[in-house]
Amino acid sequence: MTLTTDDPPVSPAVRRSAELEQQLSLDPGRFRVLTGDRPTGALHLGHYFGTLHNRVRLQDLGVEVFVLVADYQVLTDRDVAERLTEHVEGLLLDYLAIGIDPARTTVFNHSAVPALNQLLLPFLSLVSVAELGRNPTVKDEIAHSRQSAVSGLMYTYPVHQAADILFCKGNVVPVGQDQLPHLEVTRTVARRFNERYAEVFPEPDALLSAAPLLLGTDATKMSKSRNNSIALGAGADETARLIKGATTDADRHITYDPARRPGVSSLVLLAALCLGRDPHEVAAEIGNSGAAGLKRTVTEAVNTRMAPIRARRAEYAQDMGYVREVLRTGNERANAVAEATLREVREAMGMFL
Ligand code: TRP
């Protein structure tokens, strides 16, 4: 993908990510990746191009990968985690379908790893209440929350997320831009723990996806809970229907201009990502075919690119016994790692062992 003069200036996090990317391919054995998802709904194309695809690439480079099903984190913006089993199984199917290999990658859910959760207590002591209140991602989530009162977990989950990352001494975290404040919290927790007690934790780096942000079909942020996304497991007809209903504009001439034409440009981008091509070129080819022509191109590109993933997903769905076993095995491994880290932490803190 080419950068144009319209693109925003490169931030330090993006620059750091590019350096990391090089080191990862040169020396994959030095790195341990941790990343995860909340089981609140089906993973969608935004997740795929933003982070899921990257996980598989890292796994295939030979980096050790941990993938977390962040079940406790569901309770940050709602009172009850609804249809949890269904959502957890959906995530597992998505992971397997995109090529996560449980023989190389540890998949676990954090409520099944008690020692990980226990790290939250010492970690909370390292962060001030004022710092918790300043987190921009938390503020945004509070603005979109469906709860009448903001819970303590909303303010503290970024510290819990530090435990998610640090229990396995993850040093690379592939995430989207919205997670950067949380990664800063993790780095702060690691640094302060090391200064106050003993050198136990790495200060992990974010690995940002090179793909620009995809919008939902309503031209706002694509989100599991906003009903504007195309799920990885969606069928070809459902995909066609969702794209047909997507927001565009009245200009028949299709261009890639994210700032001025968010709806049209996000569709162009989706086609370009699926085709592995430059969005400006894809837009130029569609030219004067209007929104209908654009939507035909996008639908075909998505359905072609996703067909093998959807086929594998359907196959795994026939064998849910195996799918659940993947999580049980991952949890066993995550527990062993978490217990070893907790022991180190308690020792560093001078607790009775
Ligand atoms: N906060 C992430 C999300 O909303 C999920 C998550 C939980 C996570 N723990 C993590 C991501 C640790 C990266 C690392 O999608």
Side-chain angles (χ1 to χ4, degrees):
M1 212 155 295
T2 52
L3 287 174
T4 70
T5 46
D6 297 342
D7 289 311
V10 178
S11 74
V14 171
R15 209 170 318 121
R16 178 77 193 106
S17 271
E19 285 167 20
L20 246 188
E21 198 57 70
Q22 259 195 333
Q23 292 165 12
L24 280 160
S25 38
L26 288 174
D27 194 1
R30 258 180 53 212
F31 297 95
R32 188 177 263 182
V33 164
L34 180 122
T35 185
D37 307 285
R38 295 181 187 179
T40 51
L43 292 176
H44 53 60
L45 296 176
H47 294 119
Y48 183 68
F49 290 108
T51 155
L52 297 176
H53 183 53
N54 219 3
R55 294 178 195 172
V56 179
R57 197 178 53 84
L58 291 165
Q59 166 195 276
D60 294 345
L61 272 179
V63 182
E64 187 173 9
V65 180
F66 282 72
V67 178
L68 160 67
V69 176
D71 48 5
Y72 273 139
Q73 210 180 91
V74 173
L75 297 171
T76 53
D77 66 351
R78 61 203 80 194
D79 295 337
V80 177
E82 274 158 15
R83 298 194 288 159
L84 200 52
T85 306
E86 178 191 326
H87 291 323
V88 170
E89 289 177 353
L91 288 188
L92 295 170
L93 286 173
D94 288 334
Y95 297 156
L96 293 168
I98 63 167
I100 293 288
D101 171 7
R104 289 178 284 165
T105 292
T106 304
V107 182
F108 68 104
N109 58 314
H110 55 9
S111 71
V113 186
L116 179 163
N117 295 296
Q118 201 176 325
L119 292 175
L120 178 62
L121 293 172
F123 285 3
L124 278 172
S125 78
L126 299 165
V127 182
S128 74
V129 170
E131 284 171 319
L132 294 175
R134 275 202 292 270
N135 186 308
T137 298
V138 168
K139 283 189 187 166
D140 185 60
E141 282 174 295
I142 289 172
H144 285 100
S145 169
R146 59 190 81 183
Q147 285 181 300
S148 49
V150 181
S151 78
L153 188 59
M154 177 60 97
Y155 282 99
T156 52
Y157 89 80
V159 183
H160 191 225
Q161 191 156 320
D164 297 342
I165 296 167
L166 296 176
F167 94 93
C168 66
K169 304 193 180 177
N171 52 6
V172 176
V173 187
V175 284
Q177 289 277 352
D178 66 320
Q179 297 291 305
L180 288 179
H182 297 348
L183 207 76
E184 243 358 274
V185 173
T186 301
R187 293 170 62 89
T188 302
V189 164
R191 194 169 52 246
R192 290 184 187 159
F193 187 94
N194 293 346
E195 280 165 11
R196 200 168 290 181
Y197 300 108
E199 190 75 26
V200 173
F201 296 112
E203 263 186 64
D205 281 300
L207 189 67
L208 289 167
S209 156
L213 207 65
L214 273 176
L215 299 177
T217 49
D218 56 358
T220 73
K221 180 184 169 183
M222 192 185 284
S223 158
K224 290 191 206 101
S225 46
R226 288 187 198 178
N227 264 329
N228 64 357
S229 58
I230 302 168
L232 279 188
D237 294 345
E238 191 186 349
T239 301
R241 186 176 55 74
L242 292 169
I243 293 172
K244 200 160 186 204
T247 304
T248 51
D249 58 37
D251 186 348
R252 281 193 60 77
H253 184 67
I254 300 305
T255 53
Y256 182 62
D257 183 356
R260 274 176 290 261
R261 304 183 70 186
V264 162
S265 302
S266 186
L267 287 170
V268 170
L269 176 62
L270 177 54
L273 289 169
C274 288
L275 297 165
R277 296 186 54 198
D278 181 278
H280 295 280
E281 271 176 43
V282 172
E285 248 165 52
I286 300 168
N288 285 320
S289 313
L294 168 62
K295 289 178 177 180
R296 262 197 311 277
T297 302
V298 179
T299 302
E300 198 188 312
V302 172
N303 283 340
T304 306
R305 172 78 185 252
M306 289 298 137
I309 292 176
R310 290 167 173 170
R312 273 198 300 273
R313 199 180 189 284
E315 252 172 65
Y316 283 114
Q318 298 296 313
D319 191 0
M320 290 311 291
Y322 168 75
V323 172
R324 289 185 204 107
E325 191 53 37
V326 165
L327 189 60
R328 263 195 297 275
T329 310
N331 282 336
E332 264 173 43
R333 166 142 174 69
N335 269 300
V337 173
E339 278 156 27
T341 303
L342 181 61
R343 195 176 172 84
E344 265 185 272
V345 161
R346 294 179 61 219
E347 195 175 331
M349 295 176 75
M351 282 172 170
F352 187 79
L353 288 176

